[in-house]
Amino acid sequence: MLVISVIECNINFLNNHTSSKLPVSCGVPQGSVLGPLLFLLYINDLPNSVPEGKIKLFADDTNLFVSAKTTNELESKANSYLRNLDNWLKANKLHLNTDKTCYSVFSPNKIPVPTVAITINDTKIKCVKECKYLGVIIDDELKWTSHIEFVLQKLRRLLGILYKMRHKLPDWCLQNIYFAFVHPYILYGLDVDGNTFPSYLDKLTLLNNKLLRILQKKGRTCCNESLYLQYNTLPPVQLFNYEVLNLVHKTVFSPYLLPSIFHDYFTRTSSIHRYETRHNKIYLTHVNTRFGQRRALNCGIVYPIIFLITLHPNPFGIS
């Protein structure tokens, strides 16, 4: 067991004046070097408050995933989980920012999902069509158009800057700029948003081609394939296929390089029947809807209704 006691804390002001030391009875000192580590230790047991639910933590960003087969069951489970979370926050003297707390409902059917009433301390939580989760904008239809538009806005800002500096920098430097400021935006989250309709990725492909032509000082009539060959990269659609194949290869041949959740991500022939086959194939879960096909790698179980709640606790707020 690790026990850390923060006894005193002082604050520096202007003109080299220092405030008097005050005891810290609870919470985490804001602005301290150990602040982030202490906060992670402070909320580390938060998932234990909802053992039946799925809680994902990343710094002070907390997400609760709830699944059910009916709307009534979904509403009941979500409110029950939130009551347990609220009791944990009060016991640890944390304050939940309800203005930044929202939820989204995902359904594989095209029929609109009835309104779900979600409350915390008699405060109604707003329902949103899309929300940002670890830098990826997820919409309730899993079309990923909002995230693709977000990436397009980021890359469009570079057009004028790169056009002006392309004749002032050497080619190797321009290539480094592409892989530092363009390629990461395209690659991040491509494992999921690349599974959308190909027409939705056309704008991203066209913009990426334009950026490559600017950096390589090529005209409009140049072959797009040569642009990618010169930088040894791929268009977004082919890059998505490469990322999927790379994940499958790691899962089969080097699973120790992946998180434990991916160890049983695919179903193999040996787990279906005992007959010896020529190849140990990998089976995917069959889906009948386009919604299911837009999931990452088209794997896993599709629940009729999936519920995502994004919580934003104030790490320094005391109730």
Side-chain angles (χ1 to χ4, degrees):
M1 179 181 293
L2 176 62
V3 179
I4 300 178
S5 177
V6 181
I7 302 177
E8 295 178 339
C9 179
N10 54 15
I11 305 175
N12 294 324
F13 292 93
L14 296 176
N15 299 326
N16 296 325
H17 291 286
T18 304
S19 64
S20 58
K21 296 181 179 180
L22 297 174
V24 180
S25 58
C26 61
V28 177
Q30 188 173 5
S32 61
V33 177
L34 289 177
L37 176 60
L38 294 176
F39 176 73
L40 293 177
L41 296 174
Y42 197 78
I43 66 170
N44 187 49
D45 62 335
L46 188 148
N48 296 335
S49 62
V50 188
E52 302 86 1
K54 293 183 179 180
I55 296 182
K56 302 299 180 181
L57 299 175
F58 185 81
D60 62 341
D61 190 5
T62 304
N63 292 269
L64 170 64
F65 294 87
V66 184
S67 59
K69 294 184 178 181
T70 63
T71 307
N72 294 331
E73 181 186 0
L74 179 72
E75 181 177 330
S76 176
K77 292 174 67 174
N79 285 305
S80 175
Y81 294 166
L82 288 177
R83 282 193 295 269
N84 294 337
L85 276 175
D86 185 61
N87 292 333
W88 184 93
L89 292 172
K90 290 180 179 178
N92 290 271
K93 297 184 178 182
L94 288 173
H95 173 69
L96 182 66
N97 191 342
T98 55
D99 294 334
K100 294 184 178 180
T101 302
C102 59
Y103 73 91
S104 297
V105 181
F106 304 88
S107 175
N109 301 322
K110 294 184 178 180
I111 301 176
V113 179
T115 305
V116 181
I118 306 299
T119 58
I120 300 178
N121 283 334
D122 299 329
T123 302
K124 189 175 181 180
I125 304 302
K126 60 183 177 181
C127 179
V128 295
K129 292 292 184 180
E130 58 188 37
C131 61
K132 183 178 287 189
Y133 179 56
L134 299 181
V136 178
I137 301 177
I138 307 176
D139 59 277
D140 57 357
E141 296 182 1
L142 294 185
K143 291 183 177 180
W144 308 105
T145 53
S146 299
H147 180 71
I148 294 175
E149 186 61 31
F150 171 75
V151 175
L152 289 173
Q153 291 178 2
K154 291 289 186 179
L155 297 181
R156 288 191 186 109
R157 299 174 184 176
L158 301 175
L159 287 173
I161 300 174
L162 297 180
Y163 187 82
K164 293 178 180 179
M165 68 169 53
R166 64 174 181 168
H167 294 294
K168 300 179 180 180
L169 298 175
D171 293 339
W172 64 267
C173 187
L174 294 175
Q175 182 175 352
N176 291 339
I177 290 176
Y178 173 82
F179 284 102
F181 295 99
V182 179
H183 191 71
Y185 278 111
I186 299 176
L187 189 62
Y188 185 72
L190 189 63
D191 299 33
V192 289
D193 63 65
N195 205 21
T196 185
F197 296 101
S199 59
Y200 292 164
L201 291 174
D202 287 344
K203 292 182 179 180
L204 185 60
T205 302
L206 293 175
L207 181 58
N208 190 40
N209 294 343
K210 187 174 183 179
L211 290 169
L212 287 173
R213 285 197 301 268
I214 292 175
L215 292 172
Q216 298 178 18
K217 306 173 184 132
K218 300 290 182 64
R220 290 187 175 183
T221 57
C222 72
C223 178
N224 292 330
E225 184 178 355
S226 63
L227 299 175
Y228 293 95
L229 287 175
Q230 184 169 340
Y231 278 5
N232 193 25
T233 183
L234 295 170
V237 176
Q238 298 180 18
L239 193 61
F240 163 72
N241 296 331
Y242 172 79
E243 290 296 317
V244 173
L245 292 175
N246 191 25
L247 175 61
V248 175
H249 184 273
K250 289 182 180 179
T251 305
V252 175
F253 297 102
S254 53
Y256 57 89
L257 297 176
L258 298 172
S260 58
I261 190 175
F262 290 103
H263 293 173
D264 299 325
Y265 203 60
F266 299 100
T267 302
R268 301 198 181 190
T269 308
S270 56
S271 63
I272 298 177
H273 54 74
R274 298 181 180 179
Y275 301 102
E276 294 185 0
T277 57
R278 183 176 301 177
H279 303 289
N280 189 13
K281 296 182 178 179
I282 295 177
Y283 287 85
L284 300 180
T285 303
H286 177 71
V287 294
N288 297 320
T289 62
R290 186 61 185 175
F291 181 91
Q293 296 175 5
R294 287 196 295 270
R295 292 175 300 127
L297 302 184
N298 190 18
C299 297
I301 300 175
V302 179
Y303 290 93
I305 299 177
I306 302 177
F307 188 78
L308 167 64
I309 301 178
T310 303
L311 303 173
H312 287 274
N314 184 359
F316 308 108
I318 305 299
S319 60

